[in-house]
Amino acid sequence: MNIQRKPFGITKTGKNIDSIIIENSHGASIELITFGARLISCRMPDQNGNIDELLYSSRNIDDFEGELLYHGATIGRYANRIANAQFTLDGTTWKLQKNEAENQLHGGPGGFHSLTWDAFPIRYEDRGSVKFSLTSKDGDQGFPGNLDTAVTVSLTEKNELIFLYEAVSDAPTYISLTNHAYWNLEGAGKDTIHGHILKLSSEKIVEPDNNLIPTGNFLKVENTAFDFLSEKQLGDDIDTLVHSKGYDHNFVLQDKHTPAVKKAAVMKAPHSGRTMTLETNAPGLQLYTDNYSSPPYQAFCLEAGELPDAMNHELFPSPRLMPGEMYRQITVYGFSVK
């Protein structure tokens, strides 16, 4: 394992940002930066042994403070949408910072994606890792509790990309952490993702309204555009999703929290021969197909985490974190070829 740390750039507020590059013995590599604990590169071999960039990303720090705000970033304190930017916890209503009309999206305008994290690279025999850490103060973006967070990102000799999210709080709070990488398994910029083939182990989705806010109900996926129980191309039904202009939906993986990591999704790229297998212990998985870029559909996102707006719906697994407990979420992206 080769691990290198070097300067990357300076933010608009004058903070120095570092880059950490990890490369395994097969030539696969990842690169992360301390701004947003952000994955900006993932290079993996295709079926012919060619190593390509798989992320729609940038090497310009200004892009991550602008157009590519969430690309590759660690999202928190709460990934996805919270309706009306508020929730009630133990009888107290907490007003959150709004950043999508009347709602909060991805932790608010000052969420984890916009912060500079501490980083500590670690070399193991079978993997290289970097551990990011951050303290979010009580009241940050409207959330209660002082929250200490660590995100450990690892590349293994088996071409696995592992995200381990851990957090503790000194007061009851809600939390959902994820990574928001934009993937194209054919190679970044080579084609749209219409031809990617997905199999997803979910029998129901969180029903959204026209603004993509959960109604509190679930919809069965069978015989709908959301049915990926058998392999199906992403492009087969994407044009039928008028309100969202593509997939931006949360697939339910389990009805309650469990420490067990299970296979949730398999994505295949027919031309490159690459396969991505996603395993997680999270209860939900957001599928997003890059609907609003110009041009759109250049990448897909598979974001494991809590269900959106879960704290406001009794039927959803609770994302509550209590003092003395540890939030621990694991997501593994495994890469292979035919």
Side-chain angles (χ1 to χ4, degrees):
M1 280 289 175
N2 181 36
I3 304 178
Q4 180 183 8
R5 181 170 187 157
K6 59 183 182 180
F8 182 81
I10 302 175
T11 67
K12 294 176 182 176
T13 58
K15 292 186 178 294
N16 292 311
I17 303 302
D18 283 353
S19 158
I20 298 92
I21 302 169
I22 304 173
E23 182 178 6
N24 67 18
S25 63
H26 309 295
S29 67
I30 60 174
E31 183 174 3
L32 303 108
I33 60 174
T34 52
F35 183 68
R38 187 181 306 261
L39 180 71
I40 66 168
S41 175
C42 181
R43 297 174 59 83
M44 288 288 169
D46 67 7
Q47 60 190 347
N48 298 315
N50 300 311
I51 296 178
D52 295 315
E53 177 60 64
L54 304 187
L55 290 190
Y56 174 25
S57 189
S58 175
R59 301 207 60 79
N60 188 338
I61 189 68
D62 292 342
D63 290 337
F64 298 127
E65 296 184 274
E67 183 180 357
L68 306 185
L69 196 64
Y70 301 121
H71 283 57
T74 295
I75 304 298
R77 288 188 185 193
Y78 203 92
N80 219 309
R81 295 172 173 87
I82 298 177
N84 300 311
Q86 67 178 37
F87 56 76
T88 299
L89 181 60
D90 294 337
T92 300
T93 297
W94 296 86
K95 301 284 187 177
L96 309 179
Q97 292 294 313
K98 301 176 182 179
N99 63 332
E100 189 187 58
E102 294 301 306
N103 310 307
Q104 187 184 89
L105 174 66
H106 292 333
F112 288 179
H113 63 280
S114 66
L115 303 179
T116 302
W117 296 59
D118 293 324
F120 185 73
I122 314 168
R123 182 183 288 105
Y124 300 98
E125 183 177 347
D126 65 339
R127 71 189 62 191
S129 304
V130 55
K131 185 171 186 176
F132 294 98
S133 61
L134 179 76
T135 295
S136 175
K137 296 294 186 181
D138 180 39
D140 184 12
Q141 304 303 294
F143 288 89
N146 293 295
L147 188 77
D148 291 319
T149 305
V151 180
T152 305
V153 187
S154 303
L155 174 67
T156 75
E157 288 290 356
K158 296 180 179 180
N159 289 354
E160 297 168 314
L161 176 60
I162 304 173
F163 291 86
L164 170 61
Y165 306 90
E166 298 171 299
V168 293
S169 176
D170 63 358
T173 193
Y174 292 121
I175 184 173
S176 178
L177 304 180
T178 195
N179 181 270
H180 208 314
Y182 283 62
W183 299 96
N184 189 319
L185 300 184
E186 300 291 9
K190 290 191 174 181
D191 201 355
T192 70
I193 45 86
H194 284 77
H196 280 59
I197 299 167
L198 175 62
K199 184 176 182 181
L200 208 165
S201 301
S202 172
E203 297 181 351
K204 57 188 177 182
I205 65 166
V206 174
E207 181 184 53
D209 65 16
N210 289 346
N211 295 313
L212 300 178
I213 299 299
T215 65
N217 300 317
F218 300 111
L219 292 177
K220 291 185 177 181
V221 303
E222 188 175 7
N223 299 320
T224 72
F226 309 104
D227 190 348
F228 291 99
L229 292 170
S230 298
E231 290 185 343
K232 185 177 72 174
Q233 288 192 138
L234 284 179
D236 283 355
D237 296 311
I238 202 168
D239 291 338
T240 68
L241 304 171
V242 178
H243 292 298
S244 55
K245 297 187 179 182
Y247 290 99
D248 192 2
H249 298 80
N250 199 268
F251 290 75
V252 181
L253 302 178
Q254 52 193 17
D255 293 325
K256 60 182 179 180
H257 292 95
T258 171
V261 175
K262 299 179 180 180
K263 183 188 293 186
V266 178
M267 188 77 82
K268 297 179 180 179
H271 299 302
S272 69
R274 293 187 183 95
T275 294
M276 171 197 282
T277 301
L278 187 150
E279 299 176 287
T280 187
N281 65 340
L285 184 65
Q286 189 82 7
L287 170 63
Y288 179 59
T289 47
D290 189 27
N291 305 330
Y292 295 95
S293 293
S294 183
Y297 315 123
Q298 297 297 302
F300 68 88
C301 303
L302 286 174
E303 309 156 59
E306 304 293 324
L307 304 192
D309 200 33
M311 66 284 287
N312 291 317
H313 301 285
E314 292 184 2
L315 295 179
F316 293 6
S318 174
R320 180 174 173 139
L321 177 65
M322 295 291 291
E325 298 177 343
M326 175 175 282
Y327 172 88
R328 194 171 192 269
Q329 196 258 92
I330 304 172
T331 300
V332 181
Y333 299 87
F335 297 90
S336 60
V337 293
K338 292 178 182 177

